[in-house]
């Protein structure tokens, strides 16, 4: 499939440079996070999620739903190996390989640097992180760091309260998209998957994030969190349309 770049860029409200530079990467990363929610609604609608590029383009661009950032970057001339990441668990362990897909990016204007880009993790960094930088990378009231553990790297996030928490573990071994299909199927179908237990839709805002689950609308602005109860399905659908620009029958 040949991607229609103009439609994708319209979807994320982006009208800046298309040169494969660090500044373009940063701007596209933020634009995608602000425009495309991270969500699992198709799972709860009983719709299988395909990792084929044509299906992803239809979902994200035409039906205004969540995913496909790597293909956009590749079409613009960035070097974008796919990486496998394992979700950090509260007991100190990690999930299975291919639990999450993240991106290594190399830019034409700074070829000696590698960047970690990720628009599919939810409440995470707004701008790509330097993969080989030691120590904290500050982002507003939060910070991130990437620690090495043998051949692996571990992404950490410092939240608004100053607490550091592991996000996921990954290596720099390039992967194929087909490698992620079995875990994608697991997340869509297993009762043990977090994605099958409740609906979730979340999107970044300029000063924080809004998140909708089955019973709550959570708004965070400058680290201050507010919650509203969602009493019924009619209210849920109205919020989904008004705050996320999404329709369940789309």
């Amino acid at each position: 499939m040949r991607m229609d770049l103009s439609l994708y860029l319209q979807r994320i409200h982006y009208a800046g440079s298309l040169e494969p530079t660090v500044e373009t990467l940063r701007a596209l990363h933020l634009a995608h996070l602000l425009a495309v929610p991270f969500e699992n609604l198709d799972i709860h609608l009983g719709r299988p999620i395909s990792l084929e590029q044509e299906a992803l383009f239809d979902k994200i661009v035409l039906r205004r739903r969540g995913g496909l950032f790597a293909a956009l970057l590749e079409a613009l001339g960035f070097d974008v190996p796919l990486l496998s990441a394992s979700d950090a668990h509260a007991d100190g362990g990690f999930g299975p390989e291919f639990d999450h897909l993240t991106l290594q990016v190399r830019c034409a204007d700074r070829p000696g640097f590698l960047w970690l880009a990720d628009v599919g993790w939810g409440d995470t960094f707004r701008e790509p992180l330097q993969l080989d930088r030691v120590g904290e990378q500050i982002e507003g009231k939060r910070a991130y760091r990437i620690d090495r553990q043998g051949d692996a790297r571990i992404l950490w996030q410092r939240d608004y309260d100053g607490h550091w928490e592991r996000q996921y573990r990954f290596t720099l071994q390039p992967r194929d998209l087909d490698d992620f299909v079995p875990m994608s199927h697991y997340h869509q179908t297993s009762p043990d998957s977090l994605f099958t237990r409740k609906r979730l839709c979340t999107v970044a805002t300029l000063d924080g994030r809004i998140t909708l689950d089955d019973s709550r609308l959570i708004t965070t602005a400058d680290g201050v969190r507010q919650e509203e109860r969602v009493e019924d399905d009619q209210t849920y659908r109205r919020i989904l349309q008004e705050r996320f620009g999404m329709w369940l029958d789309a």
Side-chain angles (χ1 to χ4, degrees):
M1 172 193 172
R2 184 175 179 179
M3 178 181 295
D4 188 327
L5 288 177
S6 62
L7 283 179
Y8 197 134
L9 297 172
Q10 288 175 30
R11 171 68 181 92
I12 63 174
H13 313 297
Y14 182 79
S17 171
L18 300 181
E19 294 299 314
T21 66
V22 174
E23 288 307 310
T24 299
L25 174 63
R26 287 172 174 152
L28 288 169
H29 198 271
L30 179 59
H32 190 106
L33 288 171
L34 292 173
V36 181
F38 173 81
E39 45 88 7
N40 65 349
L41 301 182
D42 274 347
I43 293 173
H44 294 270
L45 291 170
R47 298 171 180 167
I49 299 171
S50 171
L51 297 185
E52 294 294 328
Q53 195 175 113
E54 184 172 359
L56 288 174
F57 187 85
D58 175 74
K59 175 183 177 182
I60 298 153
V61 177
L62 303 182
R63 293 194 289 119
R64 300 182 60 80
R65 304 287 291 281
L68 190 70
F69 191 58
L72 171 65
L73 296 180
E74 289 179 345
L76 294 176
F78 292 91
D79 177 40
V80 192
L82 309 181
L83 306 180
S84 168
S86 302
D87 183 13
H89 291 175
D91 63 4
F94 292 89
E97 198 69 78
F98 305 110
D99 207 21
H100 175 64
L101 187 158
T102 191
L103 306 176
Q104 172 189 300
V105 185
R106 191 187 303 271
C107 304
D109 61 329
R110 298 180 71 181
F113 292 83
L114 299 178
W115 304 86
L116 183 70
D118 198 335
V119 297
W121 185 245
D123 192 7
T124 188
F125 51 92
R126 303 294 187 90
E127 294 189 353
L129 301 175
Q130 289 188 34
L131 261 173
D132 294 319
R133 180 173 168 183
V134 176
E136 297 182 12
Q137 301 187 50
I138 306 297
E139 188 176 279
K141 295 182 179 180
R142 284 177 160 178
Y144 298 86
R145 72 173 194 262
I146 300 172
D147 291 349
R148 293 199 180 197
Q149 186 183 72
D151 292 334
R153 287 166 165 79
I154 299 175
L155 173 66
W156 291 77
Q157 175 179 276
R158 189 187 72 202
D159 216 337
Y160 298 106
D161 61 3
H163 175 69
W164 282 97
E165 184 177 20
R166 298 174 312 151
Q167 301 295 292
Y168 53 70
R169 180 177 64 188
F170 63 100
T171 71
L172 301 188
Q173 179 180 345
R175 307 289 189 170
D176 294 324
L177 192 58
D178 287 346
D179 295 335
F180 295 87
V181 170
M183 281 306 298
S184 175
H185 178 73
Y186 166 84
H187 284 307
Q188 295 176 57
T189 60
S190 172
D192 296 325
S193 167
L194 292 175
F195 295 100
T196 63
R197 296 178 189 174
K198 64 179 179 180
R199 292 177 296 184
L200 175 69
C201 186
T202 181
V203 71
T205 62
L206 289 174
D207 59 0
R209 176 167 292 274
I210 54 173
T211 300
L212 179 66
D213 64 21
D214 285 324
S215 61
R216 299 173 300 169
L217 175 65
I218 304 167
T219 304
T220 305
D222 294 324
V224 179
R225 175 185 170 111
Q226 294 182 323
E227 290 190 17
E228 300 175 36
R229 293 289 300 175
V230 177
E231 301 294 345
D232 51 48
D233 192 60
Q234 182 179 0
T235 303
Y236 178 91
R237 287 172 179 263
R238 176 180 56 79
I239 293 171
L240 200 62
Q241 293 175 22
E242 293 177 355
R243 303 299 297 271
F244 298 90
M246 295 174 61
W247 287 258
L248 287 182
D249 56 353

